[in-house]
Amino acid sequence: MTPALLGNLGVSLALAFSLLGLALALLAYSQGDGRFLKGAKALVLPAFLAALVAFLALEWALLTHDFSLAYVARNHSTQDPLWVTLVTPWAALEGSILLWGLLQTLYTLLASRRALDPWRASLVLAVLFGVQVFFFGVMATIASPFETLPNPPMDGAGPNPLLQNHWMMAVHPVLMYLGFVGLSVPFAYAVAAMAVRRYQTWVGETRWWTLIAWGFLTAGKVAGMWWSYEVLGWGGYWAWDPVENASFIPWLLATAFLHTAIVQEARGAFKAWNFAFVTLAFAATVLGTFLTRSGVIQSVHAFAEGPVGPAFLGFFLLATGLGLGLLSRVSREVRDPVAFRLLSREGALLLGAFFFAGWALVVVLGTFYPLLAEAFTGAKVSVGAPFFNQVSAPLGVGILLLMGVGPILPWRRPRAEVFRNLYLLLAVLLVGTLLGLLRGYTVGASLALGLFLYNTAAIFLLVREGVLARLRAGLSPWGFLGNRRRVGSLLAHFAVALMGLGIAFSQAYRLEAEKTLYRGQAWEAGGVRMEFLGVRALDEGRRFAVEALLRTDRFGEVRPRLHFYPQMNAPLPAPKVLYTPGNDYYFLLMDFDREKGGWASVRLIVTPLVFWMWVAGGLLALATLYILWPAGRPEELKGVSPA
């Protein structure tokens, strides 16, 4: 048995089990026969095991340097360290699709264990098996990770150096895939609910699954921003790159759903919006994969290209057509039964969801406009960061405003005492903004400071209200921590406000300086005095490294690097980043004396409050875990027997 044979066997079995499972699930729905449903459920675990066998076969080929596989020959080298070898399966197209397929079978396995009525369970399984059929079908036909070479090389080229230059690449793609794939389950629940015309019970279960996917997507986005910050050598964390945008769109749509789902759970409204947001969020993951893997764009993130573009585009159209087609069929039945006021919690939640959805639409238009313009007119145009920044800033401000006022407002109509809190919040916003202006901050940074204080004050008011209510009832004041959804959402809102503050200040007050230093020469910039001591060359096997030795008065010796990989003509920077709560100090080696090491060009970038953005990312992950663990099980499912 060879890795190629074992891998192809795993992919073929996973495809066969998925096809059979799809057929049985559809028969269970159409015939109303529970025996077919049991048969479909029985195939979930074998499909997962077959996918796992295929994935382990690829790992086996990589660990044993089996260059008879084209994927291993293109993306692996005997010089790769063990951790790079282990993460190489998601370093290129075919392996990343295999990882997607494996995670898809895992989500199907988990979803099949949830309690649902037989009708919806059949359709949920049918949709998830259908997604599996697509991915394993792609692997079996046009993007096999187990294609063999007639004349294997003695060694391979190794993965893209950008992927092996930082440990974060071991984490970021997996988190993103867990988020992308996770959105297939809410989509399956939505399709099932619309098909069987049961519009209320699905939303609690779907919100739970969406929150899991949203949590992984959030963690993946923050990890990607951190990777970009430490690897690409430009001292930034977000560039509105098409691939960044492609993963941002489903995050925005999933966030919109998480807010409107609250209204449906509480008041039974916004059913149509919820079906639309869930459908579009899942479709956006497929569209983003098409954008990333088809080769239609040039991006520093587009590591994996191949002939899969038309297949993913067709699958995107199929998923969108299925979800929106069903929504069109039931549109009369999911109309909102009651009117609502804008100045109410449901009004704020819907308006917030519109902001998120509108932001997603803007990102879609900005990302795809150059492609459409070139396709229809032949003209090459670009839509850069200035456009996205200009349209995103007011949307972000609107979201931060609604984030503070929304939880304060009651359902239906505000009471008189609520207005006192609203006036207090507006006063905090005004004072915070004026305080920033008086300190000489820019208008944007001052507004960000005001919005941060405004949201912090809103959270304080809500916590105070909860604690006082418990004290009046003779209960422990700490009992409010047991309301996981409430506490988790407040923590998430605080994290978003903190991230907004970090983004505003890091964009407004970035300081950048560059100088060529000769050995023994000192330089002071950004409040740091540094002396250049020389350069040191290191042979690290898979790469050649050169580091500048800088003695600083604040941080001791600092060693920014340049990495030279045989696959690349230009060196890759490995900046030394020193994080402090106030400023980040980003030391970058730009060039050096290649003959005697007598000089080096050094760039220093000082950026405020970036540290707090990573803290905010951690708080968002913590908030998600707090909501989900352990009381996140949908209440309506308790006591329901599995179908």
Side-chain angles (χ1 to χ4, degrees):
M1 182 74 75
T2 65
L5 185 59
L6 185 63
N8 280 318
L9 180 63
V11 170
S12 300
L13 286 175
L15 176 59
F17 291 141
S18 300
L19 277 168
L20 187 55
L22 171 62
L24 290 175
L26 290 175
L27 279 172
Y29 175 70
S30 61
Q31 302 297 318
D33 191 332
R35 292 174 298 176
F36 290 123
L37 178 58
K38 287 182 180 177
K41 285 189 171 183
L43 292 168
V44 171
L45 181 59
F48 166 72
L49 293 176
L52 183 62
V53 165
F55 187 82
L56 292 177
L58 185 57
E59 290 282 17
W60 176 21
L62 289 163
L63 289 168
T64 56
H65 312 308
D66 185 352
F67 295 110
S68 66
L69 288 186
Y71 186 87
V72 177
R74 286 197 303 266
N75 302 292
H76 174 64
S77 164
T78 54
Q79 298 296 316
D80 292 344
L82 179 61
W83 77 268
V84 172
T85 300
L86 291 174
V87 305
T88 296
W90 50 89
L93 174 68
E94 297 85 353
S96 62
I97 293 178
L98 177 57
L99 175 64
W100 191 309
L102 173 64
L103 295 178
Q104 188 66 57
T105 60
L106 175 61
Y107 270 108
T108 304
L109 179 63
L110 296 174
S112 70
R113 304 299 175 93
R114 307 299 295 189
L116 284 178
D117 61 81
W119 301 100
R120 286 193 300 145
S122 302
L123 287 176
V124 166
L125 275 183
V127 172
L128 294 176
F129 272 129
V131 176
Q132 287 179 195
V133 167
F134 169 75
F135 279 96
F136 289 105
V138 166
M139 280 183 268
T141 53
I142 55 178
S144 171
F146 301 103
E147 178 188 354
T148 56
L149 297 173
N151 299 304
M154 296 298 293
D155 202 350
N160 187 315
L162 282 173
L163 299 177
Q164 51 181 308
N165 209 36
H166 198 281
W167 65 270
M168 191 67 77
M169 288 313 296
V171 178
H172 162 58
V174 178
L175 292 173
M176 293 302 298
Y177 285 132
L178 282 167
F180 282 161
V181 181
L183 288 174
S184 66
V185 183
F187 174 68
Y189 272 81
V191 168
M194 288 187 285
V196 302
R197 289 182 158 87
R198 296 180 185 175
Y199 308 122
Q200 184 60 27
T201 55
W202 77 283
V203 73
E205 305 148 338
T206 306
R207 187 175 185 276
W208 190 81
W209 283 106
T210 307
L211 189 59
I212 293 174
W214 182 89
F216 281 122
L217 270 180
T218 303
K221 294 299 293 178
V222 174
M225 291 164 64
W226 205 343
W227 170 82
S228 176
Y229 187 60
E230 290 212 345
V231 169
L232 297 182
W234 60 296
Y237 44 81
W238 189 264
W240 295 109
D241 180 272
V243 178
E244 292 174 341
N245 296 349
S247 61
F248 192 37
I249 294 163
W251 184 89
L252 288 167
L253 293 167
T255 308
F257 167 75
L258 288 174
H259 287 83
T260 50
I262 297 172
V263 183
Q264 184 171 344
E265 286 181 289
R267 297 201 60 198
F270 302 165
K271 297 185 186 75
W273 287 110
N274 286 328
F275 285 129
F277 287 144
V278 166
T279 296
L280 293 175
F282 172 67
T285 66
V286 182
L287 183 65
T289 308
F290 159 74
L291 193 69
T292 310
R293 304 297 186 233
S294 63
V296 298
I297 58 155
Q298 296 297 316
S299 164
V300 294
H301 295 78
F303 301 115
E305 298 178 6
V308 298
F312 273 89
L313 185 59
F315 188 54
F316 160 74
L317 295 174
L318 178 64
T320 307
L322 176 63
L324 297 186
L326 283 170
L327 180 56
S328 173
R329 192 182 68 143
V330 301
S331 59
R332 292 178 180 274
E333 303 168 24
V334 295
R335 284 180 181 170
D336 292 335
V338 294
F340 62 90
R341 294 170 180 271
L342 188 59
L343 196 60
S344 63
R345 186 174 298 181
E346 54 266 48
L349 286 168
L350 182 61
L351 190 57
F354 283 169
F355 272 99
F356 283 114
W359 201 350
L361 179 61
V362 166
V363 177
V364 168
L365 293 176
T367 304
F368 282 88
Y369 178 73
L371 300 177
L372 297 175
E374 184 173 357
F376 288 104
T377 67
K380 289 186 177 296
V381 298
S382 63
V383 178
F387 164 78
F388 289 107
N389 288 335
Q390 285 180 7
V391 297
S392 296
L395 290 168
V397 169
I399 288 169
L400 287 171
L401 279 170
L402 289 168
M403 203 171 69
V405 74
I408 295 289
L409 292 170
W411 299 108
R412 294 185 174 85
R413 65 179 63 195
R415 299 182 297 273
E417 61 268 24
V418 171
F419 286 100
R420 288 198 295 272
N421 288 337
L422 294 180
Y423 295 144
L424 177 63
L425 291 182
L426 289 176
V428 171
L429 173 62
L430 183 62
V431 170
T433 305
L434 288 175
L435 183 64
L437 291 172
L438 290 173
R439 288 183 61 85
Y441 297 153
T442 65
V443 174
S446 300
L447 183 58
L449 177 61
L451 286 167
F452 174 72
L453 295 175
Y454 158 88
N455 277 286
T456 304
I459 292 168
F460 172 79
L461 288 174
L462 290 165
V463 172
R464 176 178 172 273
E465 181 182 300
V467 169
L468 289 178
R470 292 188 64 83
L471 287 175
R472 284 194 293 270
L475 301 173
S476 167
W478 300 107
F480 78 94
L481 293 173
N483 189 343
R484 294 179 176 277
R485 182 183 288 191
R486 185 70 159 172
V487 173
S489 67
L490 293 179
L491 182 59
H493 284 184
F494 176 78
V496 172
L498 183 61
M499 186 165 284
L501 189 69
I503 290 171
F505 274 77
S506 62
Q507 294 291 318
Y509 295 106
R510 174 186 164 111
L511 182 150
E512 188 168 342
E514 183 174 337
K515 188 174 180 64
T516 298
L517 299 172
Y518 291 87
R519 186 180 287 127
Q521 185 179 359
W523 177 44
E524 184 167 349
V528 180
R529 187 179 187 280
M530 67 192 83
E531 179 184 357
F532 174 57
L533 303 178
V535 295
R536 184 169 65 176
L538 300 166
D539 186 354
E540 297 181 334
R542 64 194 171 106
R543 68 188 179 197
F544 185 69
V546 173
E547 59 185 21
L549 308 179
L550 300 171
R551 183 163 58 206
T552 71
D553 59 347
R554 295 189 60 179
F555 309 109
E557 191 165 289
V558 176
R559 298 176 180 179
R561 284 179 157 209
L562 284 176
H563 287 157
F564 294 82
Y565 289 89
Q567 308 97 310
M568 298 190 76
N569 295 324
L572 277 180
K576 179 64 179 178
V577 188
L578 297 166
Y579 298 94
T580 74
N583 292 308
D584 277 8
Y585 295 86
Y586 194 97
F587 295 85
L588 196 62
L589 174 60
M590 304 299 296
D591 200 1
F592 62 95
D593 180 0
R594 285 170 167 72
E595 294 183 357
K596 297 180 180 179
W599 58 267
S601 292
V602 178
R603 178 178 294 170
L604 174 65
I605 302 173
V606 183
T607 314
L609 303 191
V610 175
F611 170 82
W612 295 104
M613 294 177 56
W614 314 133
V615 172
L619 290 176
L620 281 170
L622 184 63
T624 308
L625 283 175
Y626 193 73
I627 295 172
L628 292 171
W629 180 275
R633 187 170 185 262
E635 291 294 327
E636 61 269 30
L637 292 181
K638 293 177 180 176
V640 178
S641 299

